């Protein structure tokens, strides 16, 4: 019953946040003297074009978090910590693949991707800004499943309430600042997308004494190098070559170890 109440509280919090968000954004935007039509257009571009595109592969991580939950619960009840951590490492790796590929592609080809799916370049700038920060949000569901399995639903509900409140508060404050204006929504989204998974990770780490394996750090390094190579070379082909050479090195190294 307690689990159901906490999970229901989280979903209710998300629903209220989704309901209040456009109201608060429009109110704050109009306070700056801008036209309501402009507010509707910008909000529609971000939530109609940009965010659905960023999370186009979100179904993969949803499938992963749903699949691992029963096993995690079983291993936690049996105090089989090694198996628990092993499943989590595999789930995080599987989440890393769509997270890294989609964010790199959307960061590199924001205009092309919008043209491909929506036949417009509107929102390309926003897509480029949100692509990389959204990387962390792909791990959200995996950590939520882990925390549910170790009976941390109460903390999940509190974090959810806190991040939703922070998100709405930031929108209300930042959008009203003339020099920031609509970018206040983007900044709020970036903070919102990155805060939860980071908090979940540290709770999970502390609760079961988890340490990210060496391969995890290497994969993160590969991702960072890929992003930097895009910024430096301005060429996705070079980035893909670097990306897969590093992945190949990781696989070979893992095989021989």
């Amino acid at each position: 019953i307690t689990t159901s109440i906490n999970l229901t509280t989280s979903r209710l919090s998300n629903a209220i946040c989704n309901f209040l968000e456009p109201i608060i954004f429009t109110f704050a935007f109009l306070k700056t003297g801008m036209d309501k039509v402009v507010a509707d257009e910008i909000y529609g571009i971000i939530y109609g074009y940009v965010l659905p595109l960023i999370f186009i592969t979100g179904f993969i991580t949803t499938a992963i978090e749903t699949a691992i939950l029963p096993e995690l619960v079983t291993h936690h009840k049996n105090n089989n910590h090694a198996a628990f951590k092993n499943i989590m490492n595999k789930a995080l790796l599987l989440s890393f693949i769509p997270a890294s590929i989609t964010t790199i592609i959307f960061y590199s080809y924001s205009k092309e991707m919008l043209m491909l799916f929506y036949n417009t370049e509107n929102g390309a700038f926003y897509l480029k800004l949100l692509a990389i920060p959204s990387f962390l949000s792909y791990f959200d569901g995996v950590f939520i499943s882990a925390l549910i399995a170790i009976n941390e639903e109460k903390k999940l509900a509190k974090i959810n309430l806190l991040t939703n409140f922070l998100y709405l508060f930031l929108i209300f404050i930042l959008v009203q600042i003339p020099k920031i204006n609509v970018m206040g929504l983007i900044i709020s989204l970036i903070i919102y997308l990155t805060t939860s998974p980071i908090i979940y990770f540290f709770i999970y780490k502390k609760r079961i004494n988890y340490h990210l394996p060496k391969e995890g750090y290497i994969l993160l390094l590969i991702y960072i190098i890929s992003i930097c190579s895009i910024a430096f070379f301005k060429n996705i082909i070079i980035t893909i070559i670097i990306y897969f050479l590093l992945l190949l090195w990781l696989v070979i190294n893992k095989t021989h170890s």
Side-chain angles (χ1 to χ4, degrees), residues 92-93 96 99-100 104 135-136 139 143 201 210 212-228 243 246-247 250:
L92 291 171
L93 174 61
F96 173 84
S100 59
I104 287 174
F135 171 79
L136 288 178
F139 303 96
F143 287 123
F201 170 75
Y210 176 76
L212 192 67
K214 180 181 70 175
E215 290 79 12
Y217 289 107
I218 294 172
L219 285 172
L220 285 174
L221 182 61
I222 290 172
Y223 181 71
I224 293 168
I225 290 172
S226 300
I227 298 300
C228 292
Y243 185 81
L246 287 169
L247 279 178
L250 177 61

Side-chain angles (χ1 to χ4, degrees), residues 141-155:
V142 175
F143 287 123
I144 288 173
S145 292
L147 294 177
I148 291 173
I150 59 178
N151 304 314
E152 292 287 5
E153 301 92 343
K154 193 172 182 179
K155 284 185 180 178

Side-chain angles (χ1 to χ4, degrees), residues 2-244:
T2 305
T3 301
S4 299
I5 291 172
N6 287 322
L7 292 177
T8 302
T9 302
S10 294
R11 287 169 184 166
L12 180 62
S13 170
N14 288 335
I16 293 171
C17 180
N18 292 336
F19 171 73
L20 292 175
E21 181 189 355
I23 297 173
I24 291 173
F25 171 73
T26 304
F27 175 79
F29 195 78
L30 294 179
K31 288 270 286 183
T32 62
M34 300 295 288
D35 190 82
K36 187 178 184 299
V37 176
V38 178
D40 293 341
E41 183 182 353
I42 293 171
Y43 189 85
I45 288 171
I46 293 172
Y47 277 85
Y49 294 161
V50 176
L51 290 181
L53 200 54
I54 283 175
F55 296 111
I56 195 170
T57 56
F59 69 94
I60 299 175
T61 51
T62 301
I64 293 168
E65 66 185 84
T66 305
I68 65 173
L69 182 56
E71 290 189 63
L72 291 176
V73 171
T74 302
H75 290 312
H76 178 65
K77 285 182 178 179
N78 296 333
N79 291 319
N80 192 346
H81 301 302
F84 189 101
K85 292 177 181 178
N86 186 46
I87 290 172
M88 278 297 294
N89 287 337
K90 289 178 180 177
L92 291 171
L93 174 61
L94 289 173
S95 299
F96 173 84
I97 295 170
S100 59
I101 293 173
T102 52
T103 53
I104 287 174
I105 289 174
F106 292 143
Y107 177 78
S108 307
Y109 293 110
S110 52
K111 289 182 180 179
E112 290 81 357
M113 290 296 104
L114 283 166
M115 281 298 297
L116 176 64
F117 286 96
Y118 304 116
N119 196 33
T120 180
E121 291 185 358
N122 289 336
F125 176 67
Y126 303 134
L127 179 59
K128 200 176 188 70
L129 287 177
L130 290 170
I132 304 305
S134 69
F135 171 79
L136 288 178
S137 65
Y138 274 82
F139 303 96
D140 226 20
V142 175
F143 287 123
I144 288 173
S145 292
L147 294 177
I148 291 173
I150 59 178
N151 304 314
E152 292 287 5
E153 301 92 343
K154 193 172 182 179
K155 284 185 180 178
L156 279 174
K158 288 179 179 178
I159 293 166
N160 210 340
L161 283 168
L162 177 64
T163 52
N164 283 331
F165 174 78
L166 176 65
Y167 177 53
L168 295 176
F169 177 76
L170 287 172
I171 290 174
F172 180 74
I173 297 298
L174 295 177
V175 172
Q176 292 188 64
I177 301 173
K179 289 185 178 180
I180 298 178
N181 203 253
V182 71
M183 287 304 297
L185 178 59
I186 300 299
I187 294 168
S188 302
L189 272 168
I190 290 172
I191 294 171
Y192 182 70
L193 291 172
T194 55
T195 302
S196 294
I198 290 172
I199 295 174
Y200 293 154
F201 170 75
F202 281 107
I203 292 174
Y204 170 69
K205 177 181 171 65
K206 183 178 179 181
R207 184 71 167 72
I208 69 164
N209 192 30
Y210 176 76
H211 297 284
L212 192 67
K214 180 181 70 175
E215 290 79 12
Y217 289 107
I218 294 172
L219 285 172
L220 285 174
L221 182 61
I222 290 172
Y223 181 71
I224 293 168
I225 290 172
S226 300
I227 298 300
C228 292
S229 66
I230 292 171
F232 182 76
F233 294 114
K234 309 290 184 183
N235 192 321
I236 189 69
I237 303 300
I238 296 175
T239 300
I240 290 172
I241 293 171
I242 293 172
Y243 185 81
F244 281 104

